[in-house]
Amino acid sequence: MKSLKIENIAESLAIKINKNYPESSSVAVLKFGLIGLINLLFSVIIVLLIGGLSDHFSAAVLAVLGFPLLRYYSGGVHFSSANLCSLVTSFFMLISMYYNVEYWYNGLILNVISIILLLLYAPAGIKKSNIKKEHYPRLKFISALIVLSNLFFQSEVLTTAFFIQSITTTPVVQGLVRKINL
């Protein structure tokens, strides 16, 4: 019996899709896309379930919307295992739900730091993607705008989620993860 690794599930689904829909992309392309989708789905389910059970469902919804949205445009650290990525992503979103930062002053400062980090380092960890380098300034700008939107929302959950995600774009975190081979 195969283990429940996200990579194995994605490969099995990709083979079935490719077999039943010959006009679909290659198994490798399908598998890559499915890994990301399954990873996000697992993280969202874990966070919403824990948020619902602990009476923090609205905070969980904010975390599962804000964190992946910023990550989509800013990039960030990548782990060697999709399972580890799913667990770490869930952990980061859970921290965002439960670690409350008073928005005025501390939250505002964290948002400013997040914007600075994103303007310096985003997009990060997307070298293997098909995104052309000429689009990187747009991704950087969109990332900063997403965090800037929190000046309107003033959400403590989004402040923490955006700060954690912006830290994952820094060379220090990228290098640390590479060094310990996660």
Side-chain angles (χ1 to χ4, degrees):
M1 181 173 119
K2 277 190 171 181
S3 67
L4 285 177
K5 290 181 73 175
I6 291 174
E7 290 90 346
N8 294 344
I9 296 167
E11 184 172 13
S12 175
L13 287 172
I15 290 168
K16 289 175 184 172
I17 291 169
N18 189 267
K19 180 180 174 186
N20 291 313
Y21 300 97
E23 67 279 356
S24 68
S25 297
S26 69
V27 170
V29 170
L30 289 169
K31 179 182 175 185
F32 179 78
L34 287 167
I35 286 172
L37 185 63
I38 294 167
N39 180 8
L40 179 61
L41 186 63
F42 279 169
S43 296
V44 167
I45 290 169
I46 289 168
V47 172
L48 290 177
L49 186 64
I50 292 173
L53 292 173
S54 65
D55 203 27
H56 287 84
F57 190 74
S58 60
V61 170
L62 276 175
V64 300
L65 291 174
F67 190 87
L69 176 67
L70 182 57
R71 181 161 175 81
Y72 181 78
Y73 291 101
S74 68
V77 71
H78 291 279
F79 297 100
S80 59
S81 156
N83 286 14
L84 180 60
C85 183
S86 187
L87 288 173
V88 171
T89 300
S90 299
F91 179 69
F92 286 164
M93 287 190 275
L94 289 168
I95 289 173
S96 301
M97 287 170 39
Y98 294 111
Y99 183 75
N100 292 319
V101 178
E102 183 183 337
Y103 183 79
W104 282 105
Y105 190 69
N106 292 330
L108 187 61
I109 289 172
L110 288 179
N111 279 330
V112 170
I113 292 169
S114 297
I115 290 169
I116 292 168
L117 290 174
L118 292 168
L119 290 174
L120 289 172
Y121 303 117
I126 63 168
K127 303 233 185 304
K128 293 181 182 178
S129 76
N130 292 329
I131 300 172
K132 296 177 184 170
K133 281 195 171 198
E134 64 199 41
H135 297 298
Y136 284 14
R138 283 189 195 119
L139 296 174
K140 184 182 297 277
F141 180 71
I142 292 169
S143 298
L145 277 179
I146 290 168
V147 177
L148 196 60
S149 74
N150 202 30
L151 291 174
F152 174 74
F153 298 116
Q154 298 178 9
S155 165
E156 297 163 353
V157 173
L158 291 177
T159 295
T160 308
F162 292 162
F163 181 68
I164 292 169
Q165 174 51 33
S166 68
I167 289 173
T168 72
T169 66
T170 64
V172 171
V173 172
Q174 300 271 327
L176 182 64
V177 169
R178 266 192 309 274
K179 186 173 184 172
I180 57 178
N181 198 23
L182 292 175

